[in-house]
Each structure stands twice: as C-alpha cells, then as structure tokens.
C-alpha cells in the first residue's frame, strides 16, 4: 500500500509560492542535496531538459531561488527567499542554471541534472519534482537511488560485502543497488540514526572499507507507521468501522501513518487553517502591488464590490471565489501558503474554508475535520495518479482542489463518507481534460480565476449530492479516467506554456511586456 500522508503530500507542504512543483519541490531537492553533500557547496550547476517544464518555468516560478535556498540551508519560509540569487555569492555559492538536451529516454517534465563541488569533493546525479512538493532523487554518483525525503536515509557505497556488513541490521528497510563501482546501500528509518552507527560507518569509510557514506533527513513528518488507505474503497471501509464520516477515516489513516494522536493531527490542521486565513488576508489587504508578474492584485477590489452589494448574485460562493483569488495573489507574490494540493491550486480550499468560517461561523475543529475529509479525496489521486500538471494537466491540480473542496463542504454539513467521496468524484468528472496553459509560464492566468470558479462550484456540488444527486461512477474509477485522459494530453498542454491560452495573441503580448 502506498504511503500517502495527508499532511505531507496532500494539504502540504507549507511553502512559499508560486508553485509546489517548481518552488517547493525545487527547495526540497536543494535541501536534500545539502544534506547529502554535508555542507553548502562552493559551486552548483543545475541543468534542465529543453522539452520539459522546468526549462520553460524555472525562473518565472522561482525554481532557481528555491534550489539555492535549500542548498544554503535556509528554511523554505525564510524572508530572504526572494533574494537567494543575489545573496548566494556572498554566502560562498557560485550557482548556474542551463537548459540543454538531457540524455535519457524517459525524462520527467521536471527533471534536473545537478553537479555540486566543494573542498571535500563533488556530488552529481539526477532528481525530479513529481507534484505537490514531492520529489525523487533518482540518481546519485552514478547509482540509481530513488530517494523521496520521507525517512532518515543512510547511504554507503563500496564493495557489496562491505556494504551489507555495514548496513544489515541497522535499519528496518535496506535496499542494495548495483552501480559501475560496486553497490550502493540505502538504509531508511523513521527515527534519527544513533551516533554509534554514524561513527562506525565513518570509521569504515576512513579505513577504506567503504567508498563513501552520506545521510539525509526527512523533509516533513517522518512516516513511522503503516498506511490504512490508498483508495476510496479503503476509506469507505475505514469510515464504516467508525462513525460513517470521511474525516474519521482520514484521521485514522494519518494517525497510523505518522504515529501521532488524532488530537495532534487536528491541532496541526488547525495551524494550516491559520495559514489559509493569513494568505487570504494578505491577498485582500496586503500591499502586493508590483509583486505579481502579470496581474494587479484585484481581490480587494472585488471584495469591496461584494460588500457594497454591487455583485448581482452574491452569496457564499462569491465570498469563496474572492478569497480563493486572494490566496492565489499571495501565492503569486511569493508569500507563505499551504499547497492544497499544489501551489497552483492553493486558492480553492482556502477560499471555501475561510468563507465557511466567516459566513457560517463554523468552529476551527469542524473546519479542520472538513479539511481532513477534503484531503482524503486528494489521497486517492496521489495514490493512483499525480498532482503534477506537467504530467496530467490542470485537472490534477486546480481540478483536484475543486473536488477536494466539494468533499470538505459535504463533511462540514454532516454528510456521509460516501456522499463526500461522490461530491469529489463529480468534481473531477466536471474538470476532466482541463489543460495547464499558464500565460508566460507564470502561475497567474488562468490559475487565479480557475481557483475562484472551482471554489464557488464546491458549494453547488455539495448541495447537489446532499440533496440526493446520484453518482454512478465512483471516485476510484473517476481518478483512473482522469489520469488516462491526462497522460494523453500533448506536452504543449501540460504546463509548458506552449499551447492553449498561453499562445493567444493577447497572452503573448501580455507576457512579453
């Protein structure tokens, strides 16, 4: 069963905008590389493929700053983040970025080749950002690695006998992969390595028994236990064993996986609700002028019109739409947001849940449980597909956020687990096939209005399902169809700014101004 954490992989990470794939994911790669290198390198070169999404978007979506912030050892939320390119030389780091043909037949759209150098040697390999802030280091020093940042990792390279003698019995999980010069042992554990183990391995390396030893910390909550669900069918089973609610199933899954109490999990989700609230406030009230690349920060103007009665229909849907736009303004301005489930979709859920809080006066606990129900729908997509628009179009980012939000609304108004999952399924069915076509490669047009529209639609979907609207095609089958459609989309319609709205004459003029 896949280990999908609702806090690590679905409603997270907490990040700086604008993109979870290109900003948070790039930071996570940089952070892992710093750990593996052991210090800040003196030189760093990052190479992106000419046909991938990174090559088009890496500067507009702050990937370059994110890689460097991670290598410099800064927190992702550090206020210096936007200045990383300018500050790196003063920190002793000479960095470069290039777009070149990368060798290989199965390149990911967010593939990066890296080479780090310092007084103690060099580190090279490949990595990729796979959506929602999740990453893979796929190659290290010529060895296939597949490191995902979910555990404490201990690496040892050398002759197979020496590697096995050093690592067997050290960790609950051990992989040994062959390379051109012996093997690479990859030990993974949920807890930090005892100093005695590290000292023993360092001694073996000093004596020449091992070629090298490296370590890497987890990026977020370590996964200490076993997952309980990876499908809607699993979630329904868990819900039936409890109170019939989707939030209860989601909490049980996360408690088992992270080894935390449900009380601690609700507290953490309440903290993320606070991040939603602050992102909306910044987008409505903060001075973001000049911080967006294409758009003016107009959510505050729309909110004034709503309050003055100049919007003809009004209602909670409009309130949610405006707050979704506000959160996206904050995301585009490199402010702190929570991927929900991605940076490009970081508006819909904040819009819906802050509107519910303001318009209906719902408690933080009710809203936090609603967010766990929303995250459960995201879990199904993460397990069966991806959150990366680079792989499957906008339907798995903003489309997913709309589906998740609909399930969350059903939960807070007392719906059953099946009703919440049906609302999510219908949400996906209504956005299936939507392309990712960011104007100028920036997470602004049409991302902000898409978040707004799907935030408003979440209430319609919830009302329909709670009123008895049937859903003949369940969520698991719907997600499989979404992924099939997404993989059929040509690369030009998957976050490369080479098709769709991005090529409209007005869009080209706007992006080139």
């Amino acid at each position: 069963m896949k280990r999908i954490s609702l806090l690590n992989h679905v409603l997270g990470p907490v990040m700086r905008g604008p993109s979870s794939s290109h900003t948070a994911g790039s930071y996570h790669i940089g952070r892992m590389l710093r750990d593996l290198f052991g210090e800040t390198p003196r030189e760093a070169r990052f190479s992106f493929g000419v046909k991938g999404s990174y090559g088009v978007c890496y500067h507009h979506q702050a990937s370059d700053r994110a890689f460097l912030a991670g290598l410099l050892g800064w927190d992702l939320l550090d206020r210096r983040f936007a200045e990383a390119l300018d500050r790196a030389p003063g920190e002793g780091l000479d960095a470069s970025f290039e777009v070149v043909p990368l060798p290989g037949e199965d390149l990911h759209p967010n593939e990066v080749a890296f080479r780090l150098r310092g007084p103690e040697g060099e580190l090279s390999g490949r990595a990729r950002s796979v959506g929602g802030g999740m990453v893979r280091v796929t190659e290290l020093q010529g060895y296939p690695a597949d490191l995902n940042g979910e555990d404490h990792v201990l690496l040892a390279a050398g002759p197979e006998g020496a590697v096995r003698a050093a690592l067997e019995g050290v960790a609950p999980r051990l992989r040994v992969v062959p390379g051109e010069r012996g093997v690479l042992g990859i030990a993974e554990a949920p807890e930090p390595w005892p100093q005695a183990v590290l000292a023993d391995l360092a001694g073996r390396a000093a004596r020449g028994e091992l070629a090298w030893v490296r370590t890497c910390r987890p990026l977020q909550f370590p996964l200490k236990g076993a997952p309980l669900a990876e499908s809607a069918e699993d979630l329904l089973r868990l819900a039936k064993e409890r109170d019939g609610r989707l939030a209860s199933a989601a909490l049980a899954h996360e408690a088992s996986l992270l080894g935390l109490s449900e009380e601690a999990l609700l507290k953490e989700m309440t903290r993320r609700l606070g991040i939603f609230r602050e992102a909306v406030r910044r987008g409505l009230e903060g001075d973001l002028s000049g911080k967006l690349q294409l758009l003016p920060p107009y959510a505050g103007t729309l909110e004034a019109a709503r309050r003055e009665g100049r919007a003809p229909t009004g209602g909670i849907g409009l309130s949610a739409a405006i707050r979704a736009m506000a959160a996206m303004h904050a995301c585009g301005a490199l402010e702190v947001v929570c991927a929900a489930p991605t940076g490009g979709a970081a508006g819909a859920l904040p819009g819906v849940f802050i509107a519910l809080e303001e318009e209906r006066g719902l408690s933080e606990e009710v809203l936090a449980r609603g967010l766990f129900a929303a995250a459960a729908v995201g879990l199904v997509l993460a397990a069966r597909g991806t959150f990366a628009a680079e792989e499957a179009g906008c339907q798995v980012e903003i489309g997913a956020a709309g589906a998740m939000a609909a399930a969350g609304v059903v939960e807070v108004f007392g719906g059953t687990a099946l009703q919440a999952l049906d609302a999510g399924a219908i949400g996906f069915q209504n956005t299936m096939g939507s392309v990712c076509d960011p104007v100028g490669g920036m997470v602004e047009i049409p991302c902000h209005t898409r978040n707004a529209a799907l935030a408003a639609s979440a209430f319609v979907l919830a009302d329909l399902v709670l009123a008895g609207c049937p859903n003949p095609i369940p969520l698991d089958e719907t997600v499989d169809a979404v992924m099939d459609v997404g993989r059929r989309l040509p690369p030009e319609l998957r976050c490369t700014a080479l098709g769709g709205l991005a090529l409209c004459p007005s869009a080209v003029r706007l992006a080139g101004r």
Side-chain angles (χ1 to χ4, degrees), residues 445-485:
I445 303 171
C447 314
H448 292 210
T449 52
R450 283 183 184 169
N451 273 269
L454 287 172
S457 76
F459 294 97
V460 175
L461 296 179
D463 277 344
L464 289 173
V465 169
L466 290 171
C469 178
N471 171 47
I473 304 175
L475 180 61
D476 288 335
E477 294 179 27
T478 298
V479 168
D480 291 345
V482 163
M483 289 307 305
D484 177 64
V485 169

Side-chain angles (χ1 to χ4, degrees), residues 35-107:
D35 275 9
L36 293 166
F37 196 68
E39 60 183 350
T40 301
R42 297 285 179 83
E43 299 177 31
R45 172 175 290 182
F46 295 95
S47 303
F48 311 117
V50 294
K51 294 184 179 180
S53 182
Y54 256 145
V56 175
C57 304
Y58 79 87
H59 182 66
H60 295 312
Q61 297 191 16
S63 304
D64 44 13
R65 283 146 284 183
F67 280 120
L68 298 190
L71 282 180
L72 291 168
W74 298 352
D75 188 273
L76 179 55
L77 309 187
D78 195 300
R79 292 183 179 276
R80 297 171 293 176
F81 176 86
E83 304 167 1
L85 287 172
D86 296 327
R87 287 178 175 261
E91 300 282 343
L93 173 58
D94 177 17
S96 63
F97 302 87
E98 61 179 1
V99 180
V100 296
L102 290 181
E105 296 180 357
D106 186 27
L107 296 181

Side-chain angles (χ1 to χ4, degrees), residues 196-445:
V197 169
L198 298 177
D200 174 67
L201 289 169
R204 292 172 186 261
R207 294 191 298 271
E209 298 171 23
L210 299 173
W212 49 264
V213 175
R214 301 181 189 273
T215 62
C216 187
R217 298 165 293 160
L219 295 169
Q220 300 185 74
F221 289 109
L223 307 184
K224 297 181 178 181
L228 300 182
E230 63 177 359
S231 68
E233 185 176 345
D234 292 337
L235 290 164
L236 285 173
R237 174 182 49 78
L238 286 175
K240 288 178 182 178
E241 294 171 358
R242 289 159 177 80
D243 60 1
R245 304 291 295 278
L246 186 55
S248 298
L251 281 161
H253 165 83
E254 195 73 350
S256 175
L257 184 59
L258 299 187
L260 298 174
S261 68
E262 293 191 7
E263 180 182 8
L265 294 173
L266 286 168
K267 183 177 180 180
E268 174 60 24
M269 191 63 85
T270 300
R271 184 180 78 88
R272 299 191 185 199
L273 177 67
I275 293 166
F276 283 3
R277 192 183 296 122
E278 178 61 15
V280 169
R281 187 196 69 79
R282 288 287 293 159
L284 290 175
E285 304 172 9
D287 182 10
L288 302 182
S289 299
K291 294 186 178 181
L292 299 177
Q293 299 179 76
L294 297 178
L295 293 170
Y298 55 82
T301 301
L302 298 176
E303 176 64 4
R306 185 187 75 87
R307 291 183 180 276
E308 294 165 9
R310 291 187 282 114
T313 59
I316 194 171
L318 176 62
S319 178
I322 293 171
R323 280 147 185 75
M325 284 186 175
M328 288 306 297
H329 290 349
C331 185
L334 276 66
E335 298 282 343
V336 175
V337 296
C338 180
T342 69
L349 280 158
V352 166
F353 278 80
I354 300 307
L356 284 168
E357 182 176 52
E358 294 177 355
E359 300 282 331
R360 298 300 177 94
L362 298 177
S363 70
E364 287 188 333
E365 181 177 354
V366 168
L367 294 171
R369 291 183 67 86
L371 285 170
F372 269 106
V377 170
L379 179 153
V380 177
L381 176 60
R384 303 174 83 90
T386 179
F387 291 135
E390 299 86 351
E391 293 186 56
C394 193
Q395 59 185 351
V396 299
E397 291 204 23
I398 305 175
M404 291 163 61
V409 176
V410 170
E411 173 71 29
V412 301
F413 285 110
T416 67
L418 179 59
Q419 287 174 320
L421 293 169
D422 279 347
I426 295 171
F428 274 121
Q429 291 160 17
N430 290 341
T431 58
M432 189 179 299
S434 58
V435 305
C436 181
D437 50 354
V439 172
M442 303 166 201
V443 188
E444 294 184 23
I445 303 171

